[in-house]
Amino acid sequence: MRRLFNLIFQLIAAALVIFLFTAVWIVFDGLNDLGEKADVALVTGHAEAPQGKGEQPRLDRVVKLYNDGEFPFIVVSGATDRGAYDDPAAMTKYLESHGIDSNAIMQCRPGETTQDTAHNMAQIMKSHQFESVMVVTDYYHVTRTKLALSHEGVAEIQKAHVGKLRKEDAWRIGREVVALYEYVGKIYLLPAAEKVKKEAHVGVDKAKADAEQAKKKVDKSLDSMTK
């Protein structure tokens, strides 16, 4: 029993170490911007103020970067299933009210999840022949957004974070750690497990077919011996 408790304690300790290491990496990766001059910017929604009112740090950062000539086009992405509220539409309105040409703004729909956003962003980049993207989002959301875009085949990803490390963000960072591993499992582990399952199923079917073929040969041999 003591060995079992020791094993459980060691597993919990290892899980905590991995959790803390991942949290530190998310913060470090998110707070360190990378790259300049992208073909397009991707700014995520969800945390923006309704109907373009109030302070919107992500969009304000995009406006500054656009005015600095960091990118000529902006893609806005966010939820569209909150009743009458439409994230991309509200974000577009906000950008236009701050002097961004409407022709420079594109909407990514749907964008309810990071995975949805990455998939549709990759399609937008392909159709417009964009080769590089600058992710503009809260620093704790940068790592997962990059991973999602990479999984969709986007090779050149730059980043411009929003916000700074605050104790109030602890739960958000913790949520990102969980979401990151959930996402890794969804896009890497589950497909691998499904592949193994299919291969095992094929192997069983082949074994059954071989056994049936062997049985037929034996039956044929027995029939010839009895004649």
Side-chain angles (χ1 to χ4, degrees):
M1 183 64 69
R2 172 178 260 178
R3 289 183 178 179
L4 178 60
F5 281 129
N6 286 338
L7 176 62
I8 293 174
F9 176 79
Q10 290 173 3
L11 291 174
I12 293 175
L16 287 174
V17 169
I18 294 173
F19 186 94
L20 290 174
F21 176 81
T22 305
V24 170
W25 170 249
I26 286 174
V27 172
F28 177 82
D29 184 41
L31 290 175
N32 287 275
D33 293 347
L34 175 67
E36 296 178 353
K37 306 291 184 183
D39 293 334
V40 62
L42 168 64
V43 56
T44 58
H46 304 293
E48 305 301 345
Q51 306 305 320
K53 298 179 180 179
E55 182 184 3
Q56 300 202 32
R58 299 183 192 181
L59 296 180
D60 291 338
R61 182 77 196 274
V62 166
V63 170
K64 184 180 185 308
L65 292 170
Y66 176 85
N67 289 333
D68 288 343
E70 296 297 321
F71 39 74
F73 298 99
I74 302 169
V75 173
V76 294
S77 177
T80 58
D81 61 349
R82 299 190 223 160
Y85 183 60
D86 186 318
D87 240 342
M91 294 165 75
T92 298
K93 183 178 180 181
Y94 186 92
L95 291 175
E96 291 175 343
S97 70
H98 284 71
I100 305 298
D101 188 342
S102 59
N103 293 322
I105 306 171
M106 290 172 276
Q107 296 184 8
C108 179
R109 296 170 177 272
E112 274 72 21
T113 69
T114 301
Q115 190 172 3
D116 288 339
T117 295
H119 177 74
N120 291 306
M121 184 63 193
Q123 298 300 314
I124 291 174
M125 292 184 67
K126 184 177 180 180
S127 64
H128 289 80
Q129 297 183 333
F130 294 145
E131 295 184 358
S132 60
V133 58
M134 181 175 290
V135 173
V136 183
T137 187
D138 293 312
Y139 70 90
Y140 46 79
H141 188 225
V142 167
T143 301
R144 186 156 56 100
T145 304
K146 286 167 47 188
L147 176 64
L149 288 168
S150 295
H151 180 66
E152 293 295 336
V154 179
E156 190 174 340
I157 305 171
Q158 302 171 12
K159 52 182 179 175
H161 78 279
V162 175
K164 58 184 179 180
L165 183 62
R166 305 174 304 168
K167 62 181 181 180
E168 292 86 354
D169 291 335
W171 73 272
R172 295 185 178 91
I173 296 169
R175 183 184 62 184
E176 277 299 314
V177 173
V178 175
L180 180 64
Y181 281 110
E182 179 184 5
Y183 188 71
V184 168
K186 185 185 298 182
I187 65 177
Y188 292 113
L189 300 183
L190 286 182
E194 190 65 26
K195 181 180 179 181
V196 170
K197 181 180 178 181
K198 288 181 179 179
E199 289 177 348
H201 184 70
V202 170
V204 170
D205 289 343
K206 186 176 184 301
K208 288 181 178 179
D210 291 343
E212 187 66 26
Q213 191 67 23
K215 182 177 181 298
K216 289 180 180 180
K217 289 182 179 179
V218 171
D219 291 341
K220 186 176 180 180
S221 298
L222 290 175
D223 288 342
S224 63
M225 292 173 62
T226 56
K227 288 181 180 179

